[in-house]
Amino acid sequence: MARNESVFTIDVTASRATFSLRDMCERGECHAELVVKMVSYGIIEPIESTSETPEQSWEFDLAALMRLHKAIRLQRDLKLNLPGLAMSLELLDEVESMRRDISRLRQQLAELSADQGGG
């Protein structure tokens, strides 16, 4: 029996949901100190923060919450310190970007091949 597999992609940048530092801690099941350290290492970023913005008034988007969950899983499973975690996530982001580029280029190549074959 063949399995029917579907892949769903959600654009989290379109979401308008925002989360306070407290919300991030509750949803991420972590302490505020960890979230603050992750921000300082560039692992997650608050929306429109400046150096003068107090941590208590930070707001995060859904992408930051999802990244927090991913970071916590990686840290737990691989026992990574924060600098290692930051580098790992950066490399994973690059891999994902390259995969999107490859997919786009394959699609363009298929369209060019179809145009040349049909004409």
Side-chain angles (χ1 to χ4, degrees), residues 18-32 35 39 44-46 58-69 72:
T18 60
F19 306 94
S20 67
L21 178 60
R22 182 184 186 128
D23 294 335
M24 291 289 280
C25 295
E26 289 174 0
R27 288 171 170 34
E29 298 178 359
C30 63
H31 294 284
V35 175
V39 169
I44 59 174
E45 294 181 12
W58 283 348
E59 291 287 321
F60 297 88
D61 59 11
L62 183 58
L65 178 60
M66 292 175 64
R67 190 166 176 91
L68 175 67
H69 281 279
I72 290 172

Side-chain angles (χ1 to χ4, degrees), residues 109-119:
L109 183 60
E111 291 170 4
L112 286 173
S113 295
D115 289 346
Q116 299 230 338

